[in-house]
Amino acid sequence: MKTGRLLLSVLTLGAMISFGAPQLSPRVARADNDIIINGGFETGNLTAWTPGDPGNIEVLEAIDFSPEVSAPQGGFFVLLSTGSGEVKPSSGPDLDGNGSADYDETTLSQDFSLLPGQAPATLSLDWCFLTSELDSYDDFFMITLDGAIILSGSVPGPSVYTSPFPDTPPSDNVSYFVTSYGLTNGSTFDSGSTGFQHFSFLVTNIGSHTLRFTVGDQADGFVDSGLLIDNIKIVKNPPSSGGSGSGGSGATPTPTPTPESVPTPTAEPPVDPTTPSPPAPSSPPAPAPSPAPSPAISSIPPASSPSAPPASPDLASGLKPSRIVWWVVGGVIGGVIVIVSALFLLAHRRKH
């Protein structure tokens, strides 16, 4: 009787190993919506985000603006403001590289990591630039990833102390006023806003990254400009369908391109924004050495450029290779235990 119970326990253990092996495998990766924490600011505060000094930053709702400004996603968004009024009396650094000091610098950042199963991935967000500086000083904003500029913009139209950052889309010429209980209360944007614009950017490297938003006053600190941000996400690129790309398993799929209304991402501000882009040459130019690319960032490829699909998940159910290995190992171990136990039980019965 005791021998029979022992054999039954062994058989049960073998079955558990065979069918439960996948549960023992390591977790492949965090969910996509966990990569950027509180990317929609729906907590109503700056949880997981790091404001700079002086930190004129506040999570707001539509009713905190007069007239109201609707959030593109959920009920909250974050405002980085250079006001109300002058925030940093002393001269600041030359953030946009135009030779003029910048004031009231306000920043917000978050560190995140991409695990091996999460890259390449597309960073996307919605942004809106507001200002009182139309036809005056060229206030600006920039978004950086690991210190490299991926998006920037400045007050549209002619300005004094011109920033090399490209102009944003035209403002709506509506006067906006912030009526909140926090640091951005009293911020005034008399020249209007661009409305919310969508932006996306391809991140190809695994490892740690830093996403940072900055807004600044050009040459003085008396008139306000601001940047609204919402709906920040990082989503793993799905396998490409169709096409006949020639890349291997590490080929990068083509993400949704940035809309034309959004300023083009750039690694550094151009020297002369008035210089027109040269026409495309009729014949290939002689190759020239190019600066070493940022190890952590890749710009979005054109939508028309072919690209090979990345390695597909194993099986139609989307199992990762590590899970397949655990299935096989578990099945083999469990099967061996079941067979040995059965043979032992058969020999025991024949003996008696």
Side-chain angles (χ1 to χ4, degrees), residues 9-43:
S9 299
V10 173
L11 288 171
T12 302
L13 177 61
M16 290 175 62
I17 293 176
S18 297
F19 297 101
Q23 304 302 322
L24 302 176
S25 61
R27 189 178 181 187
V28 175
R30 295 177 297 169
D32 285 335
N33 58 4
D34 289 336
I35 297 175
I36 290 291
I37 302 174
N38 195 24
F41 303 96
E42 295 305 307
T43 61

Side-chain angles (χ1 to χ4, degrees), residues 218-285:
Q218 184 73 248
D220 71 12
F222 300 107
V223 182
D224 303 340
S225 289
L227 180 67
L228 283 172
I229 297 290
D230 194 17
N231 199 23
I232 309 167
K233 297 179 181 178
I234 293 183
V235 179
K236 183 181 182 299
N237 281 37
S240 299
S241 59
S244 57
S246 59
S249 60
T252 302
T254 301
T256 303
T258 304
E260 292 182 359
S261 62
V262 179
T264 304
T266 175
E268 60 181 13
V271 176
D272 185 2
T274 61
T275 303
S277 301
S282 57
S283 59

Side-chain angles (χ1 to χ4, degrees), residues 12 37 41 53 62 76 92 98 140 199 279 290 309 322 330 347-348:
T12 302
I37 302 174
F41 303 96
D53 180 32
F76 295 89
N98 69 341
F140 60 87
F199 171 74
S290 58
S322 58
H348 179 77

Side-chain angles (χ1 to χ4, degrees), residues 17-18 23 65 81 176 212 330:
I17 293 176
S18 297
Q23 304 302 322
F65 278 87
S81 177
Y176 294 92
R212 177 173 283 104

Side-chain angles (χ1 to χ4, degrees), residues 24-191:
L24 302 176
S25 61
R27 189 178 181 187
V28 175
R30 295 177 297 169
D32 285 335
N33 58 4
D34 289 336
I35 297 175
I36 290 291
I37 302 174
N38 195 24
F41 303 96
E42 295 305 307
T43 61
N45 55 40
L46 293 174
T47 296
W49 292 93
T50 302
D53 180 32
N56 267 27
I57 303 166
E58 190 176 0
V59 176
L60 302 174
E61 300 177 84
I63 59 174
D64 293 317
F65 278 87
S66 178
E68 292 189 1
V69 175
S70 298
Q73 179 269 332
F76 295 89
F77 40 53
V78 68
L79 171 65
L80 288 74
S81 177
T82 64
S84 160
E86 186 178 57
V87 177
K88 285 185 177 179
S90 60
S91 174
D94 180 11
L95 297 173
D96 59 354
N98 69 341
S100 174
D102 303 312
Y103 294 73
D104 294 352
E105 173 191 358
T106 302
T107 65
L108 182 67
S109 64
Q110 183 175 143
D111 297 333
F112 67 92
S113 296
L114 288 182
L115 303 180
Q118 295 174 317
T122 297
L123 163 67
S124 63
L125 55 91
D126 296 314
W127 64 273
C128 172
F129 185 65
L130 309 96
T131 188
S132 288
E133 288 282 20
L134 203 62
D135 298 325
S136 187
Y137 291 169
D138 207 12
D139 291 358
F140 60 87
F141 78 91
M142 59 182 174
I143 303 174
T144 63
L145 186 61
D146 303 330
I149 298 174
I150 59 174
L151 179 68
S152 62
S154 64
V155 173
S159 301
V160 181
Y161 298 101
T162 302
S163 171
F165 293 158
D167 286 355
T168 64
S171 295
D172 57 12
N173 292 313
V174 174
S175 180
Y176 294 92
F177 185 74
V178 179
T179 56
S180 67
Y181 296 98
L183 294 172
T184 65
N185 181 50
S187 295
T188 304
F189 310 110
D190 287 333
S191 299

